[in-house]
Amino acid sequence: MAHEIQTADLDDPDRIWPTGLTIRESEELHKHIIDGARVFFFISLIAHLLAWLFTPWGG
């Protein structure tokens, strides 16, 4: 029975190869990845600014 369900998922025309995600699922995942990258960028920007300010040659 589980094999039939898996085969049905693979044959679903709404799912995109190779991820097996639908367009909607892949767009949602992409949004989370981009949001995470933005958060990482701003945290690293603040860290670099603080490192520059608190070093003897930076400020």
Side-chain angles (χ1 to χ4, degrees):
M1 178 103 179
H3 180 51
E4 293 174 12
I5 293 172
Q6 185 179 11
T7 305
D9 287 345
L10 292 175
D11 294 337
D12 186 359
D14 293 332
R15 300 212 175 261
I16 307 293
W17 184 86
T19 62
L21 299 173
T22 63
I23 297 292
R24 185 177 209 171
E25 291 169 339
S26 63
E27 287 174 349
E28 181 179 354
L29 179 62
H30 182 259
K31 179 188 174 300
H32 290 298
I33 290 172
I34 295 300
D35 289 344
R38 286 180 181 147
V39 169
F40 179 82
F41 173 76
F42 287 118
I43 290 172
S44 66
L45 189 67
I46 291 169
H48 281 84
L49 179 66
L50 290 174
W52 182 75
L53 287 174
F54 291 110
T55 55
W57 58 87

